[in-house]
């Protein structure tokens, strides 16, 4: 059963740790400005990220309803509906969901993606958009996604093969960028290795593509593992 829509604010504002470490998404200073960040300099990147994810999921007509974990303020959760996919949002941060409840008309759940509170095959697919980087046990999360999602798992990831990764780490040294301190950046190959471990013995196919390239670059999407963002879709075949 999903929680009442206005219950997220009942969780104490002193909440700051998850998996034994402090996280930016438990800090009101950052979560309250999350939507503004997307509407600012990140807008162009978001457009291309959505193009990539729409292409990947569009190739699996079985996906009519999905669960997006790490939905935040529901930037992508709202958008899934725009492309004809019914979506439910899940997030660990009550501060993110406290905003989401005013922006999204669908169902929301406050939960940990390592232990998804849903029965087997509740949804056609499970999606993670720029959230998988924060999981300490990614293999367990993938297994949970494969249990809850009947047909597939979609990943939208910050790419380790990006000049921006070095810039972010330098910023962190000077205390200027708290958002990626606990993040693990993956390449497509690194993510596939985790998927293979999690889904050993199952039948599935994979497809990925990269974007997040400079505006002056002659292409904005390609099948080379370089770029600030990549989308990957796991199509479950059994």
């Amino acid at each position: 059963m999903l929680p009442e829509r206005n219950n997220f604010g009942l969780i104490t504002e002193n909440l700051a740790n998850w998996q034994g470490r402090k996280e930016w998404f438990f800090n009101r200073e950052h979560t309250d400005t999350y939507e503004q960040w997307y509407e600012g300099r990140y807008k162009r990147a978001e457009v291309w990220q959505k193009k990539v994810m729409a292409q990947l999921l569009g190739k699996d007509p079985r996906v009519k309803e999905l669960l997006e974990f790490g939905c935040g303020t529901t930037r992508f959760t709202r958008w899934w509906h725009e492309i004809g996919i019914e979506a439910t949002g899940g997030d660990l941060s009550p501060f993110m969901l406290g905003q989401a409840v005013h922006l999204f008309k669908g169902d929301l759940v406050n939960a940990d993606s390592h232990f998804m509170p849903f029965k087997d095959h509740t949804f056609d697919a499970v999606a993670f958009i720029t959230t998988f980087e924060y999981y300490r046990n990614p293999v367990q999360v993938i297994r949970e996604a494969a249990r809850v999602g009947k047909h597939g798992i979609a990943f939208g990831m910050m790419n380790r093969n990006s000049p921006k990764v070095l810039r972010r780490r330098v910023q962190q040294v000077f205390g200027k960028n708290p958002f990626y301190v606990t993040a693990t950046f993956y390449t497509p190959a690194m993510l596939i290795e985790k998927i293979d471990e999690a889904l050993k013995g199952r039948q599935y196919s994979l497809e990925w593509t990269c974007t997040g390239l400079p505006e002056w670059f002659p292409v904005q999407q390609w099948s080379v593992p370089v770029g600030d963002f990549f989308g990957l879709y796991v199509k479950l075949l059994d």
Side-chain angles (χ1 to χ4, degrees):
M1 180 179 295
L2 297 176
E4 294 182 13
R5 292 178 60 82
N6 294 322
N7 274 359
F8 304 120
L10 297 178
I11 302 176
T12 174
E13 292 193 9
N14 291 325
L15 183 63
N17 293 288
W18 179 50
Q19 304 178 130
R21 61 195 186 189
K22 290 187 177 181
E23 300 285 4
W24 69 267
F25 41 83
F26 287 148
N27 185 321
R28 288 290 300 271
E29 178 184 350
H30 304 311
T31 59
D32 285 358
T33 58
Y34 189 76
E35 284 283 323
Q36 298 172 27
W37 187 64
Y38 264 101
E39 289 298 335
R41 62 179 183 176
Y42 199 67
K43 189 65 177 179
R44 175 178 168 274
E46 182 188 30
V47 169
W48 275 98
Q49 290 172 11
K50 288 178 176 178
K51 286 183 180 180
V52 162
M53 300 311 299
Q55 289 172 13
L56 291 171
L57 271 83
K59 294 180 181 181
D60 192 347
R62 302 174 300 170
V63 178
K64 305 295 184 184
E65 184 178 10
L66 66 74
L67 168 67
E68 183 190 343
F69 243 105
C71 68
T73 58
T74 67
R75 293 292 302 189
F76 269 77
T77 324
R78 285 171 262 156
W79 171 76
W80 295 120
H81 287 260
E82 294 178 16
I83 63 171
I85 298 176
E86 293 296 315
T88 293
D91 203 287
L92 188 69
S93 170
F95 307 133
M96 287 290 204
L97 292 175
Q99 296 180 67
V101 72
H102 300 292
L103 299 169
F104 180 61
K105 296 180 180 179
D107 291 324
L108 297 167
V109 61
N110 185 206
D112 186 334
S113 53
H114 292 80
F115 308 97
M116 298 183 185
F118 297 99
K119 295 180 180 179
D120 295 0
H121 297 169
T122 299
F123 301 91
D124 296 325
V126 176
F128 303 98
I129 307 298
T130 61
T131 189
F132 193 81
E133 297 85 345
Y134 296 95
Y135 299 140
R136 275 197 168 176
N137 192 338
V139 170
Q140 181 177 337
V141 173
I142 294 169
R143 287 173 179 160
E144 276 290 271
R147 178 184 66 80
V148 173
K150 183 177 182 180
H151 299 307
I153 310 171
F155 299 87
M157 305 280 288
M158 295 175 284
N159 192 359
R160 190 181 186 93
N161 290 336
S162 168
K164 292 184 180 180
V165 171
L166 177 60
R167 184 186 70 187
R168 290 165 185 158
R169 294 310 187 198
V170 172
Q171 289 173 336
Q172 289 167 20
V173 171
F174 294 96
K176 299 295 184 181
N177 190 334
F179 302 104
Y180 305 112
V181 173
T182 58
T184 297
F185 296 104
Y186 292 82
T187 64
M190 291 170 64
L191 178 59
I192 290 170
E193 183 179 339
K194 296 296 183 183
I195 292 168
D196 289 341
E197 180 182 352
L199 302 183
K200 186 177 182 179
R202 295 200 60 173
Q203 298 294 314
Y204 57 93
S205 63
L206 297 167
E207 183 175 357
W208 61 266
T209 183
C210 281
T211 186
L213 297 155
E215 191 170 4
W216 51 262
F217 203 69
V219 297
Q220 291 300 305
Q221 179 184 342
W222 60 0
S223 56
V224 177
V226 177
D228 195 45
F229 180 92
F230 70 89
L232 185 149
Y233 183 65
V234 181
K235 187 176 184 179
L236 301 172
L237 304 175
D238 59 0

